[in-house]
Amino acid sequence: MKSIQQILAEAEQAIAQATSTSELQEVETRYLGKKGAISQLLRQVGSLPPEERPAFGQQVNAAREQLEQRFAERRTELEQAEIARRIEAERLDVTLPGTPLRPARLHPLTLTMRRVKAALTGLGFEFVDGYDLEEFRYNFGALNYPEDHPAMDEQNSFHIAPGYLMRTQTTSIQGRIFEQLQRGERQLPLRIAIIGRCYRYENVDATHSHTFHQVDAFMVDEGVSMAHLKGVLTQFAQLMFGSEVRVRFRPDFFPFVEPGVDFAISWKGGWLELGGAGLIHPNILERYGIDTERYSGFAFGLGIERIPMLQYGVDDLRLFLENDLRFLEQFPIL
Ligand code: FA5
């Protein structure tokens, strides 16, 4: 049978050799656990002569206390070493430069559409939504197109099904609004605006795309004239491009206006065409039961892409569709 001294010596050695708190825990169980060496010693008390029992018991208890203290000391040592190792392993150099966050930004067309919307809303127009997939009769029929107008040719638009196409112009909202007026869902005067995608079967080049955006606005009230049109367009252009900008009209033809004009803004010493406009054709107003003796209206429409192209000097419209970050990151974060 091992002596108390032997057991103590072995235990001391095992404690010193333990390299982790979990190893130390195993050693502790081996010596101080219920079935450990010290408990086994205590069980021998009964086999000793009675006079030796108290002294033996004291020695075993002293040995237990000594070991308990050693375990506690060693545990503290090992815990500190483990913490130090973890700190080393998980070390964080707070002086390293961080990973820059890339702030989200709005697409230049979105920025432009928001500005257009704010400007026209400020001028009293109510924005409505239309349909990208539109009925032929709204895109053309309601807009006074003659039966054989070339724009209605399948070559210029994306026909989806008989009677349906991808709208070629946001002006297609007019017929729908006039029908709402006829049904009593709206009242005169009307001041309506719309922004949306338009689609044309066209070759893509630096200034044309098969998919682009337009904004349209129209107004119907008593005594609306070209002067109102020019006033509103001038204010709109000045809100978009600066207070120096002037607006020029030149005669142009669109089936749904009479007179019809194209309008340009003064820009860097010259004139830049932005879109079409005019007084809503009386045929259209009459068709929807509006008394043309009393009421008249103007309408204008322009391409959205044109605006940031002018403003930021972008020379190719395709850049807006390509989602190249090197391009998009040059626009302001809002
Ligand atoms: C129209 O679409 C008429 N609806 C405008 C209008 C509205 C006239 C109300 C009168 C009254 P136009 O086809 O010219 O007109 O197009 C207007 C603008 O849309 C053009 O000036 C141009 O800026 C833009 N646009 C037209 N086609 C394309 C295209 N393929 N790619 C990019 N922009 C285009």
Side-chain angles (χ1 to χ4, degrees), residues 143 145 168-172 174 198-218 229 252-257 259-263 273-280 298-307 309 317:
L143 290 172
Y145 277 77
T168 63
Q169 51 187 351
T170 41
T171 319
S172 56
Q174 273 189 25
C198 298
Y199 309 81
R200 292 185 194 180
Y201 188 79
E202 287 195 49
N203 285 327
V204 173
D205 63 25
T207 53
H208 294 86
S209 175
H210 46 76
T211 303
F212 57 101
H213 297 78
Q214 281 189 345
V215 52
D216 253 76
F218 69 96
L229 171 62
D252 198 354
F253 175 78
F254 300 93
F256 36 91
V257 283
V261 294
D262 68 46
F263 66 95
E273 259 178 50
L274 277 190
L279 292 186
I280 298 175
F298 68 65
F300 64 88
L302 60 148
I304 291 284
E305 281 78 0
R306 260 296 168 93
I307 299 170
M309 286 178 84
L317 169 154

Side-chain angles (χ1 to χ4, degrees), residues 122-140:
L123 289 171
F125 289 86
E126 173 198 341
F127 271 84
V128 296
D129 276 328
Y131 299 90
D132 289 36
L133 175 53
E134 183 56 284
E135 290 180 51
F136 204 82
R137 61 194 173 109
Y138 292 113
N139 197 89
F140 296 122

Side-chain angles (χ1 to χ4, degrees), residues 91-99:
R91 186 156 64 150
L92 196 69
D93 183 351
V94 293
T95 67
L96 278 175
T99 315

